[in-house]
Amino acid sequence: APNQKKTGRLKCDSVVSEISAGPGTVNFTINRELLAKTVLQQVWKDGSEYGVKSELFSAVPRQKAVIEFSSPNIAKKFHIGHLRSTIVGNFIANLKAALGHEVVRINYLGDWGMQFGLLGVGFQSFGNQEKLKSSPLQHLFEVYVQINKAAEDENTKKLAKDFFRKLEEHDEQTLSIWKQFRDLSIEEYIRIYKRLGVHFDEYSGESFYQEKAQEVLKMLEDKGLLQKTTKGTGVVDLSEKKDLSTVSTVMRSDGTSLYITRDLAAAIDRMNKHSWDTMIYVTDKSQSNHFQHLFQILKLMGYDWAERCQHVSFGLIQGMKTRRGEVIFLEDVLNEVRSRMLQNMTSTKTTKALQDAVETAEKVGLAALIIQDFRGLLSSDYQFSWDRALQSRGDTGVFLQYTHARLHSLEQMHGNAELTDVNVACLLEPDAISVLQHLLRYDEVLYRSSQDLQPKHIVSYLLTLSTTQKCLFFLVFQARLCLFHAARSVLANGMKLLGITPVTQM
């Protein structure tokens, strides 16, 4: 037993309470009381900054991050893909802000282009000012659908072209119609985002960059990067051998800009305005090619910071239907999840009449949507299921909310424990130790998510914390109350990062 002799020389201290040797191993037993005291004190002391203050982050430089997310098209559906972009972008922004980075949240609206020619003409034919004011997104969408049916007609095409040309030439009357569409839409977006608990520092849009896009074309020309095709369009050669095998079209034959030209102008403008360290675009994976081209062109133009641009892509949600049929507007989803949640809550006997049942249903429903979305890798597509999302047991947002509310009511019921008078001796059974060890790992999970920007690490951590916590519901003493407080505090912190507002009763 040579191991035995060696372990004899190792001394126990305040951290290690016992050392023993097995075949080919040395076993250390950690002083459990110290573990309990240290963890509880840390959570108590750091509060909402628990985990963030860890030395894991001490070497990470504080940076300025610009995050572009959500970005719906005015007059087109604000659909479920935009919901995904919105909650993912919000999570990344929350995480970066919590870690002490400076964050600028930008919503880059699709508010320019040929579709506004159509929309303008459509509004002149089918529009209604009252409807526009009361529900702009719905009304503009209906007008857009109607005029699209007529868009095959040559005369309509010509009118739409004329309307858009007038817009590009800053004709006052046309601009004021466009501005009304934009302003009323943003007002409604803000109201919907508020329900999601999301805000933006800046509403920008393609319209801001139509002139700067012309400057970009001139810069490309000056640098010898702009090539004309036989059709008269302008392209940038992205092929390695410079044989035009991969090109990106940046100009129409009539000299007007395209989506990517406006994106180039926006990136350059944001650098001038915010001098950021990193810029993140959150869109679905079908746009991967677009961003690859965007970053490549910026690099060819001599902007080295293009390497600090990042596209965080996500997969598609399948099977998202409301009771009214296919989802068109995000608001339909929010209303549906709230009403289904209310129904579930009122049908369970345990739910006492909540004062603010509707608000609680909204928050719990949102948690259900977010957790179902964040459980896997962002790049995977997933099949949406209302039943699975709204289950109160299992790996769901409803279960997280339930655990948080339960812990909160236990704290309320048994008075708030002070950390000073905790007898940690009753926290030494295996269940309590596993909760403590889990709490200790929170910083590692935050670190992983901060590295790859995937929320799933935090989600599975919180779900495990909620399951471990269940074993303790049956044992309430002062010290466990402290542990409840610690677990609830970490649960709440993690949920808030994911964009979920924890409820205190349900």
Side-chain angles (χ1 to χ4, degrees), residues 66 88 181 193 217 247 267 277 279 312 329 335 386 391 458:
V66 166
V88 173
F181 294 165
Y193 287 130
L217 289 173
V247 296
D277 299 296
M279 179 156 60
V312 173
F329 293 107
N335 293 342
W386 283 108
Q391 273 169 6
I458 297 175

Side-chain angles (χ1 to χ4, degrees), residues 50-279:
Y50 176 70
V52 170
K53 284 184 152 181
S54 158
E55 61 264 27
L56 275 181
F57 295 105
S58 57
V60 178
R62 300 283 171 268
Q63 292 188 323
K64 185 166 189 181
V66 166
I67 303 171
E68 181 201 293
F69 62 107
S70 195
S71 309
N73 293 313
I74 291 175
K76 293 190 180 168
K77 308 177 189 186
F78 187 131
H79 58 72
I80 210 66
H82 295 121
L83 169 68
R84 229 181 163 186
S85 173
T86 307
I87 59 181
V88 173
N90 189 47
F91 158 70
I92 294 172
N94 289 346
L95 182 62
K96 290 208 171 274
L99 296 172
H101 302 292
E102 191 185 338
V103 173
V104 181
R105 300 157 181 251
I106 297 182
N107 197 342
Y108 183 69
L109 300 171
D111 63 355
W112 202 250
M114 209 46 217
Q115 81 246 37
F116 282 89
L118 266 179
L119 192 62
V121 174
F123 196 74
Q124 285 161 348
S125 319
F126 315 111
N128 172 321
Q129 274 296 338
E130 290 308 298
K131 282 185 182 171
L132 180 67
K133 288 209 166 70
S134 67
S135 54
L137 298 179
Q138 181 77 35
H139 185 54
L140 288 175
F141 179 66
E142 284 162 6
V143 167
Y144 190 63
V145 169
Q146 273 180 292
I147 192 68
N148 256 317
K149 286 180 188 151
E152 297 310 304
D153 168 55
E154 284 308 314
N155 190 35
T156 309
K157 275 186 191 163
K158 188 182 166 309
L159 287 172
K161 259 191 163 148
D162 290 348
F163 190 97
F164 186 55
R165 199 192 65 245
K166 283 183 186 163
L167 261 186
E168 296 245 271
E169 290 164 359
H170 295 241
D171 168 66
E172 270 184 30
Q173 195 197 346
T174 328
L175 264 179
S176 78
I177 298 174
W178 169 82
K179 196 173 175 332
Q180 198 189 12
F181 294 165
R182 190 181 194 275
D183 293 350
L184 289 169
S185 296
I186 288 180
E187 253 171 63
E188 194 168 350
Y189 285 141
I190 289 173
R191 189 177 57 74
I192 297 172
Y193 287 130
K194 205 172 174 173
R195 284 181 69 176
L196 286 166
V198 172
H199 72 276
F200 291 91
D201 301 306
E202 206 175 288
Y203 279 85
S204 97
E206 293 183 65
S207 59
F208 290 16
Y209 296 109
Q210 25 130 357
E211 277 162 46
K212 288 198 164 96
Q214 289 303 320
E215 291 167 31
V216 166
L217 289 173
K218 184 153 185 352
M219 283 162 74
L220 287 167
E221 197 159 23
D222 293 347
K223 289 184 191 289
L225 294 167
L226 188 66
Q227 302 191 26
K228 291 269 173 66
T229 65
T230 45
K231 290 178 191 157
T233 56
V235 299
V236 176
D237 187 0
L238 298 176
S239 61
E240 278 185 23
K241 296 180 176 165
K242 296 289 165 235
D243 56 3
L244 294 173
S245 55
T246 315
V247 296
S248 179
T249 309
V250 292
M251 185 182 81
R252 289 198 186 86
S253 52
D254 62 0
T256 53
S257 64
L258 288 139
Y259 183 61
I260 192 158
T261 336
R262 297 191 277 274
D263 255 354
L264 288 164
I268 297 165
D269 181 57
R270 286 174 196 167
M271 190 52 169
N272 294 338
K273 190 168 154 192
H274 297 292
S275 59
W276 44 262
D277 299 296
T278 174
M279 179 156 60

Side-chain angles (χ1 to χ4, degrees), residues 283-289 311-316 378-381:
T283 71
D284 73 76
K285 59 187 179 187
S286 72
Q287 294 200 36
S288 299
N289 225 3
H311 176 215
V312 173
S313 64
F314 52 81
L316 307 174
L378 293 178
S379 55
S380 341
D381 301 342

Side-chain angles (χ1 to χ4, degrees), residues 3 7 10 19-22 24-28:
N3 259 0
T7 50
L10 295 169
I19 302 169
S20 64
T25 60
V26 178
N27 306 319
F28 297 92

